[in-house]
Amino acid sequence: MTPPAPAPSRGSRLRALAGRAVDDAQLFRPRLAIGSLLVLCALLLGGMLMPVPYVIESPGPAIDVLGEYEDEEILTIEGVQTYPTDGTLMMTTVSVDGGPGYTVTPVEVVVAWFDRSRMVMPRELLFPKGQTREETTLQNTVAMGSSQQGAVAVALDELDIDYEDTVLVAGVQEGAPADGTLQAGDVILAVDGTEPTDVASAQTLIGDVAGEKIPLRILRDGEELDVKVPAHVVDGARQMGILLGRGHDFPFDVNIGVGAIGGPSAGMMFSLSVYDELTPGALTGGHRIAGTGTIEEDGAVGAIGGIRQKMVGAQASEAEFFLAPAANCEEVIGFEPEGLEVVAVSTFDDALQATETIAATGTVEGLPTCEDVSS
């Protein structure tokens, strides 16, 4: 018979309890560490995916205005003699991420920050606070339509071809009272029986009409129409939800279509392409010429945004030469892509002379560079 084991002493019981506590603590510590790491990763991931108020400008495609876009001819001229051409005249574009209705994350901003071909800017530098996606789309559509009208007018002025000024529906806001009744491109012939002389007079006539609907006579696709446009009162003023602009009645049909691309920065290249098709021979001499710049009615070429990204897009499309607004030259210097010859222009006449020089010589010799105009 085995004698019973002696009862453990108080000291040994305490040591056993302390040992188990140490074992439990060692087991709990890695669990706590893993849990804390998971929480930290979740916080970091959430922070990386959280929208931030920045926009990122990236190079967009360079599009030959003398060619096609989305399987449609960009420039079509009917009702007048046109001439075959050669080479390319490219409008350049910028892709903007993070505008109204869209977001970018801190990760995207950091990646773009270290990419020399992209630009990161606070959103409010490009878009007013509170501006919606619909408002942005409307503004870009209006700017593109006005740019096209002005571009054709400048080319026709150069060729001494007469045309008449009109009041144009430059854009219709989606969901506005006029949506479904008026369209961008409609010409306002009369407001309640009275012919407007310019945009300001049209706005005055519209404001003076009594009643819930405004009688308009418009010209659409060559046909005169009488329509009654609903309106509502905002801050005491009657509004239809349209933007009016200065338009032109040309002696022949000129249509420029670039899909959903908006903004005014292709004006100069549109003018060159219209001039090219209305004159014998190839204006480019067969060369690949890209460019950018707004165009004013007097032929002045204005500054645009995203000039560096547009040069990169032109290089990617194998452009040989680039026409840049002189007002953008400080942003151009030091950022010219390899193999792309950049010429500074201030007017349509400058751009025309540069294109003709390139066609004749294949070089930019004697033409102003950005270093020349900035020195």
Side-chain angles (χ1 to χ4, degrees):
M1 183 173 181
T2 304
S9 65
R10 184 178 180 183
S12 62
R13 288 199 302 272
L14 289 175
R15 285 193 295 273
L17 289 172
R20 285 198 297 273
V22 169
D23 291 341
D24 290 343
Q26 289 174 338
L27 181 62
F28 177 72
R29 192 175 293 119
R31 289 176 178 172
L32 177 62
I34 292 172
S36 299
L37 181 60
L38 291 175
V39 171
L40 180 60
C41 289
L43 291 173
L44 289 174
L45 181 61
M48 288 187 293
L49 299 179
M50 184 180 297
V52 290
Y54 289 91
V55 295
I56 301 172
E57 290 187 338
S58 305
I63 302 166
D64 179 17
V65 184
L66 300 174
E68 294 184 350
Y69 182 70
E70 295 181 344
D71 298 325
E72 297 286 342
E73 287 289 332
I74 293 176
L75 173 63
T76 57
I77 302 176
E78 298 177 348
V80 68
Q81 174 70 54
T82 58
Y83 301 88
T85 187
D86 193 11
T88 58
L89 286 169
M90 304 181 202
M91 59 176 281
T92 49
T93 64
V94 172
S95 173
V96 179
D97 296 319
Y102 302 92
T103 59
V104 294
T105 65
V107 173
E108 292 172 308
V109 169
V110 170
V111 171
W113 194 273
F114 290 97
D115 186 341
R116 198 167 183 261
S117 70
R118 304 167 78 188
M119 178 74 73
V120 177
M121 293 177 291
R123 182 184 297 155
E124 291 186 12
L125 284 181
L126 292 184
F127 305 100
K129 187 175 182 180
Q131 181 169 303
T132 65
R133 182 192 306 182
E134 291 75 19
E135 290 170 339
T136 302
T137 300
L138 178 61
Q139 287 183 4
N140 285 336
T141 300
V142 168
M144 174 60 83
S146 299
S147 172
Q148 292 172 352
Q149 283 272 310
V152 176
V154 168
L156 267 56
D157 285 341
E158 187 71 25
L159 295 167
D160 293 324
I161 298 175
D162 294 331
Y163 54 87
E164 296 181 359
D165 292 337
T166 63
V167 178
L168 189 71
V169 177
V172 180
Q173 187 172 353
E174 184 178 351
D179 189 13
T181 304
L182 294 179
Q183 300 176 7
D186 289 343
V187 176
I188 306 296
L189 300 177
V191 180
D192 199 17
T194 303
E195 182 179 345
T197 56
D198 53 25
V199 172
S201 69
Q203 292 170 333
T204 299
L205 290 170
I206 289 170
D208 290 342
V209 174
E212 296 181 353
K213 294 189 175 182
I214 299 174
L216 298 178
R217 187 166 188 79
I218 63 172
L219 179 67
R220 177 186 297 165
D221 297 329
E223 181 182 1
E224 293 189 9
L225 303 172
D226 289 309
V227 297
K228 291 187 176 181
V229 186
H232 58 198
V233 177
V234 178
D235 297 330
R238 292 163 54 76
Q239 295 185 5
M240 296 182 287
I242 65 174
L243 291 177
L244 298 178
R246 181 183 178 187
H248 306 288
D249 182 15
F250 302 118
F252 44 83
D253 293 331
V254 182
N255 294 300
I256 304 173
V258 285
I261 297 174
S265 64
M268 179 186 69
M269 300 308 291
F270 288 150
S271 289
L272 288 172
S273 63
V274 172
Y275 182 93
D276 190 6
E277 292 212 359
L278 292 176
T279 54
L283 181 62
T284 66
H287 291 286
R288 298 178 65 82
I289 302 175
T292 186
T294 63
I295 196 79
E296 301 294 333
E297 295 278 343
D298 62 359
V301 173
I304 52 81
I307 186 73
R308 296 174 184 173
Q309 290 71 45
K310 290 181 177 181
M311 291 191 296
V312 172
Q315 180 200 40
S317 296
E318 300 180 349
E320 305 166 77
F321 305 95
F322 191 92
L323 307 180
N328 284 114
C329 273
E330 289 188 4
E331 303 168 73
V332 169
I333 297 172
F335 288 87
E336 302 93 329
E338 184 178 355
L340 188 68
E341 299 277 2
V342 180
V343 180
V345 297
S346 298
T347 65
F348 176 74
D349 287 341
D350 291 344
L352 183 58
Q353 179 185 359
T355 306
E356 290 173 337
T357 298
I358 291 169
T361 68
T363 71
V364 297
E365 186 175 352
L367 296 173
T369 66
C370 276
E371 287 79 1
D372 295 330
V373 302
S374 297
S375 58

